Structures are given as C-alpha cells and as structure tokens.
Amino acid sequence: MAKIGINIKQGKIELPKVIVGIDLGTTNSLIAYVPDQANSEKADVEKGRSPKVIPVRGQGLVPSVVYFDEHGTPSVGHYAKSKIAQEPERTIFSVKRLLGKSYKDVADKADYVSYKIIDSDSTSEAMVKIEIDGKFYNPIELSSLILKEIKTQAEKELSVQIEQAVITVPAYFNDSQRQATRDAGKLAGLDVLRIINEPTAASIAYGIAEKKSGNVLVYDLGGGTFDVSILTLEEGVFEVLSTHGNTYLGGDDLDRSIAEFWLKKHQLTSNQLSKTELQTLRMIAEEAKIYISQDDIWGQPEAQFERAFQCVNSNLTLTLNVSELQNAVAPLIAETLKSVHKALSDAELKPDQIDEVVLVGGSTRYPGVMQALMPIFPHVSINNRINPDEVVALGAAIEADVLAGNRSDVLLLDVTPLSLGIETAGGLMDVLIPRNSKIPTRLAREYTTSVDGQVNLKVSVFQGERELVGENRKLGEFVLKGIPAMPAGLPKIQIQFALNPDGILKVAAKELRSGVEQEVEIQPTYGLTDGQVEEMLLAGFQNAQSDIELRLNQETINEGNQMVYTAERFIEKNGQHLSAEEIAGSKQRIEDLRCLLNDKADRNSINKQIELLNDYTRPFAERVMDIAIGQALKGKTLD
Ligand code: AMP
C-alpha cells in the first residue's frame, strides 16, 4: 500500500522524491510522473502504475517560451507566450531548434525568429547565441530556464523534491544536441538519468515495449515540426531504423494555408494586411481547423465555420467547411506522407511489415491525418487513444518509473555507470559516451587543431560527471603523432570510443586527411567499487550547476583566445592590404579582448568584446578575401 509521508532528517524536512519524465518540446513542454513512486512498496501492482501529467500553474502544457523583462528577469510559459507579439525581440520561442547548433548551422533560418541570433562570424563553429538588451544567452541556458520552471512548479504542485529526470529528444537529434539537452537539465538542477527518443517514449506509453518485438512507425505532427520514425523492437529494446521529416512543417503551416485560402477567396494578399491583422487571421484559421476537426463536425459535409473579420478597411465573413479545409491543407499532408514512404524505404520495410502505428503531436487531431495513413497501413489499427500532446511525456514518466526500480516488466539494459570523454581546451570534459548509455556502444566525434602547424595531439581519456577533467578520473592518455603540418582548424581528427559488452573501452584517433592513426584499450570500471561510482555520481550532481557555469565561462574564454590568435595572425599575414588606422584599430580591440581574458572578466563582457572585434575586422577580411580571389584568377584565361 502506498504511504504518504514526509521524512524528518536531522531537523530538516525532507520531501519525498520522485523521478519524472519531461517532454522538452519545440512549442510546448510537459512533465509527468507515476504517482505513488515516492512511497510505493516494491510489490506495488506493476501493471496498475499509470503515468500522469503534472499540472504547471494549473495547466498541462507549458509553452516553451522565455521572456526577459527590461531588468533581464526571465519568465517562462503562458505569460512569456503572450509577449511574443508585444515584445518580440525579448521573447524567445523555438529554442529547441537552436540547441546543440552553431551559428553556421542556423544562419539561413535566422529570419524565422524575431529575436537576435548573433552573427559573430558567419562561418563560426561556436555555439549560437541570442542577444537581448546587450546580454548574451545560449540555447542551453534558455532551455534550462524552461526546465527549471517546470521542475519548480511541479515540486510545488506535488509537494515533492524532483532531482532526477528522463528527458526526451527527437530521434534525429545528433550527439551534440543530446549533450546540450543533458546540460540544460543539469543547469536546471536535474540529474538527467537518461535521454530517450520521443518516438520510443510514445511507444512505451502505448505499452508496445511489453510486446518484446515488432516494427513501430511513429508519426509526429506538432505545432511547428514534423517527423516520422521507424523503430524496431527486439527483446523489449527499441532501435531507430530510420527517421525523416521537416523541422519547419507543423500545425502553424496548416493555419497559414487556411489563411491563404481566405485571402485568395477575398482577393487579398498577405502584404496588404498589417502584421497584427495577419496574426489575427492565422489565429482564426487555427480556431476554424480545430472546430472542423471535431468528430461530429468532420462527418457533416454541410457543417461550416463562420467568423466576421475586419481588415484592410473592409468587413469580411470568413467561412470554412470540411472539404475546403481538406483542400487547403492537402499539399502539407501529402508532404508528410512522402516522408513516411522515405522512412519506410530507408528502413528497408514495406508498409505491411509495420506492426504498430502511433500518432504523436497536437496536429494529429486533424482527422485528415488518420484518413491519409489508414490506406497505407490497412492491416493495423492506428494508436491514437492517448492524448497526442501528452503521450511522449507519459512514456518518459514510465521510463523514469523503471529507472526508479518500480517495474520489472520493462527491460533495463546494461548501461555504463559513468560518462566517458576526453579533455578539450581549457581542461573541459567533452563527453563522448554519456553515463547510462546502453552497452555495447560506439561513438565518434571530429576535432581539429587550434595552432598552425600542430603535428601532435594528446588524447586524454576521463571518466566522471564533472565539467572539468581535473575533477574526474583519468583513465589514460596517448599522443597521436605525425599529423602533417597544416593551418589551425584544417586537420580532421576523428576520435572514436567503442565500449564493448565486457565494458572495455577502445579509443582510436585518426587524422582523416592523412590517415595517421593510433589506438588504446582501457578498462573504465577497473578498480572502482560501487561505492566509488556512487560518490562520483553524487559529486557530479551536487556540483552540476556551478560546473556548467564554469564550463560556459571556459568555452567563452576558449572562443576569446581563439579570436585573439586568429586576428593577430590575420594582421601579420595581410598587413600590406590594411591601412595604418585599420591595423591600429584592430590591435587596440585585440588588446582589449586580451585584457578581459587575462582579468578573467565575466562571460558577457568577453562575448561583447568578441563581437566588437568581429564587427571591426569583418570588412577587412572580406576585402582581403576578394584580393586573394582576384590574384588567384589573374593570368588565368577562361576556356
Ligand atoms: P503540439 O506542438 O504537439 O502541442 O501541437 C500543437 C498543434 O496542434 C497546433 O498547431 C494546434 O493548432 C494543433 N491542434 C491542437 N488541437 C487540435 C485539433 N483538435 N485539431 C487539429 N489541430 C489541433
């Protein structure tokens, strides 16, 4: 029987602890748990353990939006969402799209948002940053604010302590996006026990994991993104076979198509409407879509949505019936079906080899989705029983319950107890295999040199949860020798970690341009007792917040040092193309940056100075580039 109780330890009230599942979404986020977890006696009826969404300020869905007021104080959720139209440059939405990305990755989408994504350098590999009122924020910090709000409010709601979580990510997230999600969790004060794929979480929620084997197709159409994933289940373990989609296609685009339909019908174009009118029109379109999507309306061809709307100084009556809605959004639904077929062919499966189809995301409530999928999968009944907004968070909560040791019907894999990684600039730990990764596993990441002509690279391997390697356990090191001398940044050095089923780690380093390589074998758990592993985990968790701060600072320092190095080399090499004033101006800014770095100034000041130096030198860099191209072409004739 479940007990409700509060423990009193050394005079301090200790609230019960629960492990939660969090769906950190592009548009909305949710938190869920399995009730009774904190107080359950192990013998609790396993099957009866059903997950629930925890209300945050009275609502299940928390808009993944962060607003900063004029003092820089953040707020998250519905209030922040209401500021998107009023104070667009201070309101950040869709930050998930920026997570784990460099500016280079997102530069072509910068216009999509109303806040300032800083273009410190259009070729920059550094983490993208957002500037608000002269302050710089990175996507990890912003995501952590969303997580912190969810965590704190859920703790209040349940009167519990939440320290551990399972967080979901899209199946297509790469290693750095997953690591960024993990870091956001840490920064929010959460020990992220596991990162799981959203389609896997949805499948777990439907109890598909208990079937032990089969192929599952998960169709996820949210507010702003679409993806389809095909998973195969073996012995209760999911593996992603393929994934396809469009991170800029979702319910918002359906609304846009309906708005376009109305504009065309009334012989208007979107340019004629003010921003506010257009926004209002899209909101009415969403209402119309949701109205028509109701079961009892969808079945009636004569049913119609009707609304008066005033724009461009005229009074319009907007109407929409079922077939008009279907026609307006048909091209978008057709595009999602193309992805379904692409995912099937990538997984080398025919539709009849799919055993389960699962619908995820609010937009799958549009009945046209089900109607489009049924003829492709006539042999299965499509899973849409669970609220499509909640299904991912509910699945994550079940996984959390498994990790809490409350269920034995869902298989737990053999996992690595501690993270494994290498030392990078400034003594930072770069994790290649996060703790709790299933074994066997293999992961490779590319690195490069930071100094011109570097011919050796020391690879130091560490284990532990701290952000600085000095606090972690060193497992070994070796030197990759004989890298051909090249300018900094040009060598492509791939470091691969392969952890075999016996827990042996093979670390290989290879310079891909020359083929130079080196390999070592390490036994990470050798000599570590369970108690020591626990101690290391605890230290990682207790220092998580300050560690991440240290890491963010160190990353900025690294970027600053690199900038000083590159700018100095640039002036040295290209002095003849620069005026005395330009040289002096650049040197002054380099010196200012160096002083800030030496004085260990705060992150924001360093970032600002990097920006200043960049802005100042960019025109010369472009000019020098043009000269170089001109010289390269000189004397060459075109056939
Ligand atoms: P999500 O990102 O999963 O929360 O999905 C949000 C999207 O679902 C928005 O574009 C909504 O317009 C859409 N949506 C919510 N309810 C319905 C409904 N009943 N019918 C069609 N679309 C819906």
Side-chain angles (χ1 to χ4, degrees), residues 23 25-30 61 220-225 250-255 286-287 289-294 360-367 388-390:
D23 171 6
T26 309
T27 323
N28 294 303
S29 297
L30 288 95
L61 292 180
D220 184 347
L221 186 61
T225 61
D252 299 346
D253 301 277
L254 304 195
D255 305 341
E286 183 180 19
E287 255 184 68
K289 172 186 74 180
I290 294 176
Y291 174 79
I292 306 257
S293 294
Q294 297 174 89
V360 178
S363 295
T364 59
R365 289 203 188 88
Y366 166 61
D389 290 321
E390 296 183 350

Side-chain angles (χ1 to χ4, degrees), residues 32 110 148 171 226 353 387 417:
K148 210 180 269 175
F226 167 70
Q353 290 172 289
N387 181 336

Side-chain angles (χ1 to χ4, degrees), residues 144-360:
S144 85
L145 291 174
I146 300 172
L147 290 170
K148 210 180 269 175
E149 159 77 3
I150 291 179
K151 165 182 146 58
T152 318
Q153 293 302 324
E155 282 177 332
K156 271 194 202 158
E157 173 73 26
L158 300 180
S159 301
V160 295
Q161 246 178 303
I162 298 172
E163 289 172 352
Q164 296 182 307
V166 169
I167 303 183
T168 59
V169 294
Y172 57 78
F173 255 30
N174 64 23
D175 184 48
S176 66
Q177 291 168 301
R178 284 165 200 263
Q179 187 57 39
T181 307
R182 208 171 255 284
D183 287 347
K186 264 196 193 179
L187 198 54
L190 287 167
D191 178 15
V192 182
L193 291 178
R194 209 172 272 188
I195 295 281
I196 63 169
N197 289 320
E198 288 162 10
T200 303
S203 304
I204 291 173
Y206 274 105
I208 295 171
E210 290 145 42
K211 296 197 164 173
K212 304 288 182 217
S213 69
N215 297 319
V216 189
L217 180 138
V218 182
Y219 177 105
D220 184 347
L221 186 61
T225 61
F226 167 70
D227 56 90
V228 53
S229 306
I230 297 180
L231 314 173
T232 186
L233 178 65
E234 247 174 72
E235 296 295 322
V237 178
F238 288 98
E239 190 188 333
V240 179
L241 291 183
S242 66
T243 170
H244 205 265
N246 183 343
T247 48
Y248 290 85
L249 168 65
D252 299 346
D253 301 277
L254 304 195
D255 305 341
R256 226 166 273 153
S257 296
I258 299 164
E260 283 299 323
F261 161 74
W262 280 333
L263 288 174
K264 210 166 162 193
K265 192 169 162 189
H266 294 280
Q267 292 166 348
L268 290 167
T269 62
S270 51
N271 299 339
Q272 291 172 273
L273 273 65
S274 69
K275 265 194 175 160
T276 317
E277 285 172 339
L278 201 57
Q279 192 58 33
T280 314
L281 186 69
R282 287 185 186 151
M283 279 160 70
I284 302 174
E286 183 180 19
E287 255 184 68
K289 172 186 74 180
I290 294 176
Y291 174 79
I292 306 257
S293 294
Q294 297 174 89
D295 283 347
D296 48 339
I297 304 291
W298 184 256
Q300 303 177 43
E302 70 285 359
Q304 178 159 282
F305 172 89
E306 195 173 314
R307 173 69 55 87
F309 176 61
Q310 201 183 25
C311 75
V312 202
N313 297 327
S314 50
N315 291 314
L316 309 180
T317 305
L318 305 173
T319 62
L320 191 75
N321 64 30
V322 179
S323 67
E324 285 168 337
L325 170 59
Q326 280 175 313
N327 290 337
V329 305
L332 299 173
I333 301 299
E335 197 180 321
T336 69
L337 296 188
K338 268 194 218 157
S339 290
V340 168
H341 289 294
K342 181 82 175 70
L344 282 166
S345 75
D346 287 352
E348 296 179 7
L349 290 177
K350 301 253 173 301
D352 63 6
Q353 290 172 289
I354 295 292
D355 305 296
E356 300 275 351
V357 176
V358 172
L359 298 189
V360 178

